[in-house]
Amino acid sequence: QPPTQRERPIPPPRTTARRLLIAVAAAQTAARSVVTPVAVAPMATPVRCGELLCQRDSYARAVSTVVVSCEPRAAAAAAAPGKGKKGKGAAVPPPPLPEWEVVLGDTVLFPEGGGQPSDAGTVGGVQCSRVDNVDGLARHVLSAPLEPGTAVDVVLDWPRREDNMAQHSAQHLLTAIALRKWGYDTTSWGLGDATSFLELGTPEFTPLMMAELEAEANEAVKAGTAVAPSWHSVADVNEGRVPGLRKSSKPLPPSVTGPVRVITYDGLDTNTCCGTHVHSTARLQAVKLLRVERAKGACRVLYVAGGRVVSLLGSTFERSALLASKMSVPQEELLERYDENARKAVEHERAAKSLAAEVVTLLGQALRCRLDNGERALHVHRPAADADFVKALAASLDEALAEAQGLLL
């Protein structure tokens, strides 16, 4: 999995249509989300990252497990570094609320890794804001402590997971197609609040390539390609004994002891990955490529997948309808009306410049007459005049002012 780069995209406006789409999706999710927790046997040794229930079954939404340990989270870890004003007189930020790091026997909450953000949810009814992989253990950051040895239900924030999983799985799909079709490696990727991106190791990625990549990705979505995890030894991965393993996969570092989780997109790609994935590419619904940004010899392809495609379509349609209403044309004629308005604006600007030149000429003549009549300080006040008008007027009076030793105010 390539390294990640942080992205801070501007979120789309929360329009009425987008709010309605989110509400409908939430209602549909709630209707089918009567969750029965998976039961796991109490254990003193927690399941390590890479083999967690969320990584064995990305669609498990709850689990009954046991609290292995609970420790207060260090204030330095809880605080957000580098934020707020510094120096004398700066406001002192309030101290962070106390938090606890809890290790469980097993979990359905994914710890941040591989470019995918951590899940959120509840542990024993206590809010879990994030999960970190610390030395191979999933540490759940909770707002209240839990007693070690206590049996708890862990419940996943499914809409958040489903969205993150769709963007992550789409990245794997796009990466596999770009590598097979053009030999372009994915050098990094990022999952943002509104859009995601993958960075391809090529200085050029044309609109035709964009269209081909999007078309092949959506063909894979329609095909319903199976996606499944498997586990292998470090030696098998490093020595290439995993069938179909991507040749560009880098050797695992010595800190990885295995078993190593490998994700296979049937017939498309096999690669090491710790993140959550859809069971079938059909669950992605659709993949839409948005634009290409060039950055230091690479091309960053921005995209959305899954429910984000529907949300983006809804918000875009609503903005288009609002703009069409303001311009009094059907949506289909927006571009024609824009071109017409742009042409008229250019014509009006030319006419305005011509009229301004005439005004400068006439005003200059009147001011020179005042100089000839003995005035030395000429005061001109025109609230609507811009800098170009003032420069033109001053230039027209340069010689007359010099001869009369006058001043233009």
Side-chain angles (χ1 to χ4, degrees):
Q1 190 70 10
T4 63
Q5 293 187 9
R6 295 191 178 273
E7 180 194 25
R8 296 182 179 175
I10 299 174
R14 301 189 69 86
T15 59
T16 302
R18 186 165 186 263
R19 287 195 294 269
L20 179 59
L21 287 166
I22 293 172
V24 170
Q28 291 173 340
T29 299
R32 62 175 185 267
S33 298
V34 178
V35 179
T36 301
V38 176
V40 297
M43 58 192 74
T45 303
V47 176
R48 294 184 65 81
C49 294
E51 299 178 279
L52 302 169
L53 179 56
C54 60
Q55 294 166 314
R56 304 194 304 274
D57 180 4
S58 297
Y59 287 82
R61 304 188 190 187
V63 63
S64 296
T65 185
V66 66
V67 177
V68 175
S69 66
C70 179
E71 302 172 353
R73 194 174 191 219
K83 293 187 177 181
K85 296 181 179 179
K86 297 181 180 180
K88 190 175 181 180
V92 178
L97 295 175
E99 294 178 322
W100 284 262
E101 291 187 354
V102 172
V103 176
L104 304 171
D106 204 348
T107 185
V108 290
L109 304 185
F110 174 72
E112 181 176 359
Q116 183 175 338
S118 75
D119 286 330
T122 59
V123 178
V126 178
Q127 188 65 40
C128 176
S129 59
R130 61 175 291 118
V131 188
D132 297 316
N133 180 344
V134 181
D135 297 328
L137 294 180
R139 292 186 172 270
H140 304 70
V141 179
L142 305 186
S143 57
L146 295 172
E147 186 69 24
T150 303
V152 291
D153 285 344
V154 185
V155 180
L156 171 67
D157 177 349
W158 173 249
R160 172 187 168 90
R161 155 72 71 77
E162 188 176 34
D163 176 59
N164 286 345
M165 187 162 63
Q167 311 317 309
H168 181 211
S169 298
Q171 178 264 310
H172 271 252
L173 179 60
L174 294 168
T175 289
I177 295 171
L179 182 63
R180 186 191 69 229
K181 192 172 182 65
W182 299 291
Y184 297 157
D185 285 323
T186 294
T187 56
S188 68
W189 87 286
L191 198 164
D193 292 335
T195 62
S196 300
F197 73 88
L198 68 155
E199 197 166 273
L200 299 176
T202 173
E204 186 70 24
F205 199 70
T206 66
L208 178 59
M209 289 176 167
M210 282 274 284
E212 291 177 356
L213 179 57
E214 181 180 285
E216 289 203 25
N218 283 294
E219 284 299 318
V221 170
K222 289 188 286 185
T225 302
V227 183
S230 58
W231 285 263
H232 304 268
S233 69
V234 172
D236 284 348
V237 171
N238 282 344
E239 295 170 19
R241 292 196 293 264
V242 178
L245 185 66
R246 192 189 300 170
K247 292 182 179 179
S248 61
S249 294
K250 297 179 181 179
L252 298 168
S255 58
V256 177
T257 59
V260 179
R261 186 168 178 265
V262 171
I263 293 293
T264 297
Y265 283 64
D266 191 25
L268 291 174
D269 187 47
T270 299
N271 193 34
T272 56
C273 183
C274 66
T276 59
H277 291 259
V278 293
H279 285 172
S280 164
T281 54
R283 297 297 295 265
L284 293 177
Q285 305 174 55
V287 178
K288 179 60 185 173
L289 306 188
L290 303 176
R291 65 180 184 274
V292 173
E293 297 176 350
R294 288 173 175 78
K296 296 182 180 179
C299 283
R300 182 174 292 184
V301 180
L302 277 72
Y303 69 92
V304 290
R308 293 193 184 192
V309 177
V310 177
S311 178
L312 180 61
L313 175 60
S315 60
T316 301
F317 183 86
E318 184 168 325
R319 284 195 295 269
S320 175
L322 181 61
L323 184 59
S325 174
K326 289 180 177 295
M327 299 180 72
S328 300
V329 295
Q331 292 187 56
E332 295 77 12
E333 298 178 14
L334 275 172
L335 286 178
E336 289 81 356
R337 177 57 60 87
Y338 170 82
D339 290 340
E340 179 184 353
N341 289 347
R343 177 182 55 78
K344 289 181 178 179
V346 171
E347 293 175 354
H348 292 163
E349 184 177 2
R350 288 174 179 168
K353 287 183 177 179
S354 177
L355 291 172
E358 292 182 21
V359 171
V360 165
T361 299
L362 294 173
L363 183 59
Q365 292 174 354
L367 292 173
R368 278 192 291 274
C369 287
R370 289 166 59 182
L371 287 172
D372 292 342
N373 291 333
E375 287 190 47
R376 294 295 175 264
L378 305 177
H379 180 266
V380 178
H381 178 64
R382 300 186 71 87
D386 59 13
D388 289 337
F389 180 90
V390 174
K391 289 179 181 178
L393 180 61
S396 70
L397 294 172
D398 273 350
E399 292 184 6
L401 287 171
E403 291 177 3
Q405 296 183 348
L407 182 65
L408 178 65
L409 301 174

